């Protein structure tokens, strides 16, 4: 009986429910009473938290709202249009005093797709790769309300500012554009 009581107390201390079948007394041939009891601990499994899988945003999708409203900081716009039959990889890096600070985004743009993204006014290094060609780069400083449009056309990349028409025909290409510093 002492053993049954100690099992019961241990179960209570552990927070588990114990179901005990009643003791039965039998007399063995020697005449000494014998008590037997069966204790079966039962516990309810704790619920497990399942992590939601991270979802990758598609081109043009914006993330779900956050507790911080950043829309007032997103005052400039970058547009990359792919007018080729090849995939285009666009990499946007923050740039500060001639040094790359960190990658903001690296995106794959399907043929004839586009990426339109509002960004904070800052200095950026934009690298655009068409298929297996070498990357074309453009260092730009965006100010509030400014928009820069890049387009992959054949094997060439254009870089234009919609509200500032180019002065000469060669000013539309990323390697000779005055937009790129």
């Amino acid at each position: 009986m002492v053993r049954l009581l100690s099992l019961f107390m241990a179960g209570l201390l552990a927070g588990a429910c114990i179901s005990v079948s009643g003791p039965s007394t039998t007399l063995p041939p020697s005449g000494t009473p014998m008590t037997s009891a069966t204790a079966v601990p039962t516990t309810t499994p704790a619920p497990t938290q399942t992590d939601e899988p991270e979802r990758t945003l598609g081109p043009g999708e914006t993330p779900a709202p956050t507790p911080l409203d950043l829309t007032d900081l997103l005052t400039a716009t970058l547009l990359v249009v792919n007018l080729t039959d090849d995939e285009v990889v666009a990499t946007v890096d923050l740039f500060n005093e001639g040094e790359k600070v960190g990658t903001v985004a690296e995106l794959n743009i399907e043929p004839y797709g586009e990426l339109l993204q509002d960004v904070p006014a800052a200095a950026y290094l934009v690298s655009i790769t068409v298929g297996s060609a070498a990357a074309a780069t453009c260092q730009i400083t965006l100010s509030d309300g400014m928009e820069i449009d890049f387009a992959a056309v054949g094997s060439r990349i254009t870089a234009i500012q919609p509200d500032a028409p180019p002065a000469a025909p060669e000013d539309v290409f990323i390697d000779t554009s005055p937009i790129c510093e």
Side-chain angles (χ1 to χ4, degrees), residues 16-95:
C17 295
I18 298 178
S19 100
V20 179
S21 61
S24 62
T25 305
T26 58
L27 289 174
S30 66
T32 311
M34 178 184 229
T35 304
S36 66
T38 307
V40 180
T42 58
T43 60
T44 304
T48 56
Q49 181 179 357
T50 56
D51 292 332
E52 292 291 323
E54 289 189 23
R55 183 170 133 352
T56 303
L57 296 176
E61 279 188 297
T62 56
T66 62
L68 298 174
D69 185 10
L70 302 176
T71 54
D72 291 340
L73 299 175
L74 305 176
T75 59
T77 304
L78 288 175
L79 171 68
V80 182
V81 178
N82 180 2
L83 299 175
T84 72
D85 292 328
D86 296 315
E87 184 176 79
V88 166
V89 177
T91 304
V92 180
D93 298 312
L94 277 173
F95 211 63

